Amino acid sequence: MVYVEIKAPDIEMLVTRCIRESGATCAVHSFDHRIVKTVKAIFPAIRTGILENSRHVDPAASLIAVSAEDLWQEVDSIDEGIVESAHSVGARVIAWTANETKQWDRLYALGVDGICTDRIAELATYDWEVR
């Protein structure tokens, strides 16, 4: 899976065309939820996500509003309520950017679905059973 973050408005058509032509398995996410909504309208089959960098009041409502399947939440803003809200509408919670093992342990305990990290090799070989 290739995760594509769109940072600029008005390029959604170009990005979705590139993804379709590449044949790659991709998902698109953005801080600008309007971009996510537009991508989903252009390419309904693609997985989409919304990025949040603060504690969101109602993540489920935002996910539903743009038909997104993933909540990319800043690691320090994730709590049980965030995870429960996203999961209640069938969405995954992906934490970003978690680089410390103590964060990984906390996120695992909260039931997040994915971790974005700069320490890929360490996370890939992390011994979850020891925890």
Side-chain angles (χ1 to χ4, degrees):
M1 174 76 70
V2 176
Y3 292 97
V4 178
E5 179 181 347
I6 299 179
K7 296 185 178 197
D10 304 321
I11 63 169
E12 299 90 342
M13 188 66 77
L14 177 62
V15 171
T16 56
R17 187 176 78 226
C18 288
I19 290 170
R20 283 184 174 155
E21 289 175 1
S22 76
T25 303
C26 297
V28 172
H29 56 272
S30 182
F31 280 107
D32 187 334
H33 299 181
R34 298 167 300 178
I35 289 172
V36 175
K37 188 172 186 172
T38 300
V39 166
K40 192 57 108 169
I42 295 168
F43 193 175
I46 197 165
R47 182 171 203 99
T48 56
I50 56 175
L51 276 155
E52 292 286 349
N53 62 357
S54 62
R55 175 58 170 89
H56 200 285
V57 173
D58 191 352
S62 291
L63 289 158
I64 291 168
V66 299
S67 301
E69 296 91 357
D70 296 328
L71 172 64
W72 288 76
Q73 182 68 54
E74 189 275 328
V75 64
D76 293 328
S77 299
I78 296 175
D79 59 23
E80 188 175 289
I82 290 277
V83 175
E84 286 177 4
S85 180
H87 286 173
S88 75
V89 294
R92 298 184 309 176
V93 177
I94 303 171
W96 64 271
T97 298
N99 289 324
E100 304 300 325
T101 57
K102 66 182 178 182
Q103 292 173 317
W104 301 344
D105 291 337
R106 183 178 70 82
L107 295 168
Y108 180 79
L110 288 171
V112 301
D113 304 285
I115 296 174
C116 177
T117 186
D118 296 320
R119 296 175 54 200
I120 297 166
E122 292 96 333
L123 181 62
T125 59
Y126 191 65
D127 189 356
W128 299 100
E129 297 301 318
V130 173
R131 309 297 171 239

